[in-house]
Structures are given as C-alpha cells and as structure tokens.
Amino acid sequence: MNGLRIPPGIRIFNSIKDFRQWRRQILLDRQTLGYVPTMGALHRGHLSLVSAAKDACDHVALTIFVNPAQFAPNEDLGTYPRTLQADIDALAQHFDHATVLVPQVKEMYPSGIEPDVSKQVGAFVEVKGFSHQLEGTTRPHFFRGVATVVSKFLNIVEPEEVFFGQKDVQQCIVIQRMIRDMHFNVKMNICPTVRESDGLAMSSRNTYLTSIQRKYALVLYNALELMKEMYENTTKHAPTLIGAATEFIHKTQQEAQTECEIKLDYLSIASPSNLCEVTGDIKDGCIMSGAVYVGKTRLIDNFMVDVKL
C-alpha cells in the first residue's frame, strides 16, 4: 500500500495478526463490533451498511478484498474495479472513524488459489441446496467462493453482527444458512437495496456501463416492477408473470438493438424457504429476481414480495 494516503479517523490493516490484536482490545473493553464485508469500489449501498453497523455496534470494521475464489476463469477478476484510495476517502467523508482490513491473497489462501476449481487445494465451504440455482446456474462455483471467504472473515473478524445488502439476495440466503449450520456466533442483518434515483440497484459493476448502456440498464428493474404490479393487481400465477416480464425484456432488446446488446440470463419467482421455482400460483410470498447483460455488464436485481428474510 505504498503511496496510500490514510485520512484522519481511518485505520488500515494489511495483516490478519495485527487486525486481531486490535479486535482483541475491543473485546477486552467489552465493546461490540459490526462487520461489513466488501470487494471495494464502495458506493452508497456499501455506506448504508456501514451506517447500519455503526448504529448497532460500538465499532465498525470493513474488509476490502477482491476474492479470486468467486470468479470463474472467464470472468472479470482482472478488471474488477480496485479503488482503495477512493474507498477510504469515502469512508472518511461520511464517518468519523472506521477500521479496514485489506488482506493479501496469499494470506487469505495460504494453500494458493487456482481459478480452475478442479485444481484448487485447501479448505473450502459449500452450502448445498441453495447454491446451484438462480445465480448458481450460470456461475456454478460462485457461492462456494463466497461461502469460503465469508467464513474465513467471520473467523478473523469475530464480529457480534454482520451486515449484507438485499441486492445479493441469494448470497444473503446462502450466508444465513451457513451461519446457522456452522454455528457462527454472529447476528446477520440484511439491509434494503440502495438504488439510484431512477431505481437502478447500486453495484460496483455499474461503472462498466457506457452512457448509452446506462439508458437501458433499467430493463431488469422495470421487468421486475411489471411482475410485482401484475401480482398485486391482476394475477398471482408465476408462469404468467415470468412470461410477461420476458416479453417486456425481449421488446426492449428490439428497441435497443442498434445501440447496445441486451441479453436475458434468467428470470425467477422462487420460494424464499428453499429457492425452488414457484410453478403455479404464489401463495406465501416469493423472491422475484433476475439477471441481464447490458453490453458486457451483468446486472442483477430482486424484489422480496410479501415476505421478509
């Protein structure tokens, strides 16, 4: 971190050992620690999680770590935005103090980390039954990487409470189940999705969008809004809702074809209890979710309908 300018009130650790010494003093002082895991490129969504952590606990810690285990070999690990100086400047602008752990890959994965899962060596965590569907369909090893790194950080940070955003709803469900099944002594908080003024869910990957692509980036949000409106006013038949949203996206594809490519990855109406697709009428609430490519940028979003995690 040569050349990094550390603003007043911000404490940075590179070493897990040094971070643990700091964390031990908080424990000895009988104070509480809230934790926000991030991959950096902080935006208002991340900052809202920090605010929630500060409201609930005496201290707040973030991790900034672009986790190689959750990227497939053909994904954007090499180009994922890394903006550490801007991140800590944003923290200092909004909060009087915060602690950040920025560990090295070799310390987080002491056995090494190969992009090819079949060649990986070491300990990894999988949450069966919740990782293969939805996002896991096109990113089959994604939640294995997420569960592994979050379990490592919960062991390192040992927070009283941890904070995640609802935008990554399947991730929330996976981590929620992992915390329960692995008996992590931590309270999990799922905070509402933070959106731009026009409704676009905030994401670090939004920075990839060109001005023309940004014009069409609401296609998924609008499709989910259509499903929700129909659910509330017309029909609760899940296949009918999916069909209408799919037709809406295809229509937008036709309108945008001379300016940018839009590609539907998936649309889903799933049960919040097991993430299984609802194949008939929605009876006990649901998760409406989906993913689309606008240009090369993959956007995800979801609505929790008549249910709370």
Side-chain angles (χ1 to χ4, degrees):
M1 297 209 297
N2 292 336
L4 188 67
R5 178 179 48 79
I6 302 177
I10 303 300
R11 182 184 287 106
I12 302 286
F13 291 102
N14 289 122
S15 159
I16 292 173
K17 179 181 178 181
D18 292 344
F19 176 89
R20 280 177 159 161
Q21 288 178 343
W22 171 81
R23 200 275 175 259
R24 177 169 172 74
Q25 188 58 53
I26 290 174
L27 185 63
L28 292 173
D29 292 340
R30 298 186 177 183
Q31 295 181 322
T32 56
L33 179 62
Y35 168 47
V36 179
T38 85
M39 294 207 301
L42 302 186
H43 50 66
R44 282 197 292 116
H46 296 112
L47 298 178
S48 73
L49 299 179
V50 178
S51 292
K54 292 186 77 69
D55 289 343
C57 302
D58 298 313
H59 296 269
V60 61
L62 296 83
T63 50
I64 294 179
F65 181 69
V66 180
N67 175 33
Q70 67 194 62
F71 289 81
N74 62 333
E75 292 183 331
D76 59 342
L77 174 61
T79 59
Y80 192 87
R82 292 164 170 83
T83 57
L84 183 57
Q85 184 66 66
D87 292 344
I88 62 174
D89 287 345
L91 289 172
Q93 181 180 350
H94 290 87
F95 306 103
D96 55 4
H97 65 274
T99 298
V100 184
L101 172 61
V102 189
Q104 301 302 305
V105 172
K106 62 183 178 181
E107 188 171 20
M108 290 298 295
Y109 292 95
S111 298
I113 181 68
E114 289 282 344
D116 184 346
V117 169
S118 67
K119 297 178 181 178
Q120 289 176 355
V121 176
F124 293 86
V125 177
E126 291 186 84
V127 181
K128 298 289 190 180
F130 296 86
S131 302
H132 66 278
Q133 61 275 72
L134 306 179
E135 287 293 291
T137 302
T138 52
R139 307 182 75 189
H141 305 300
F142 174 72
F143 291 112
R144 177 179 182 268
V146 169
T148 296
V149 81
V150 173
S151 67
K152 287 172 181 277
F153 278 131
L154 289 178
N155 183 41
I156 293 164
V157 177
E158 296 185 280
E160 277 74 26
E161 301 192 32
V162 63
F163 297 80
F164 288 89
Q166 185 194 308
K167 182 183 78 71
D168 302 296
V169 65
Q170 187 177 4
Q171 172 177 279
C172 291
I173 292 171
V174 167
I175 298 303
Q176 193 175 57
R177 181 56 63 102
M178 182 191 77
I179 286 173
R180 191 195 77 173
D181 288 1
M182 300 292 285
H183 301 286
F184 282 105
N185 187 25
V186 62
K187 177 185 176 184
M188 180 169 176
N189 299 272
I190 299 173
C191 301
T193 301
V194 177
R195 300 181 180 278
E196 302 283 1
S197 58
D198 60 0
L200 182 66
M202 289 200 167
S203 169
S204 300
R205 288 187 170 93
N206 290 352
T207 58
Y208 295 161
L209 296 167
T210 67
S211 58
I212 291 175
Q213 291 167 350
R214 178 63 179 83
K215 187 170 67 172
Y216 294 101
L218 286 173
V219 59
L220 177 59
Y221 171 78
N222 289 334
L224 295 175
E225 280 276 21
L226 173 63
M227 288 202 294
K228 184 172 181 286
E229 181 180 345
M230 290 178 63
Y231 168 86
E232 293 171 343
N233 299 300
T234 307
T235 178
K236 289 180 169 53
H237 187 245
T240 300
L241 301 177
I242 292 285
T246 301
E247 182 179 350
F248 173 85
I249 291 175
H250 287 162
K251 182 179 178 181
T252 308
Q253 284 175 324
Q254 295 300 314
E255 294 172 355
Q257 61 183 349
T258 60
E259 294 187 295
C260 76
E261 182 182 6
I262 296 173
K263 178 183 175 184
L264 174 61
D265 190 344
Y266 73 88
L267 285 169
S268 166
I269 297 178
S271 165
S273 62
N274 56 18
L275 296 184
C276 289
E277 290 296 312
V278 180
T279 57
D281 286 346
I282 303 164
K283 297 180 180 179
D284 299 311
C286 66
I287 301 171
M288 296 178 177
S289 66
V292 299
Y293 288 90
V294 178
K296 294 183 178 181
T297 304
R298 188 173 184 273
L299 304 176
I300 64 172
D301 204 345
N302 69 83
F303 292 162
M304 302 290 292
V305 180
D306 289 341
V307 69
K308 184 176 180 181
L309 294 178

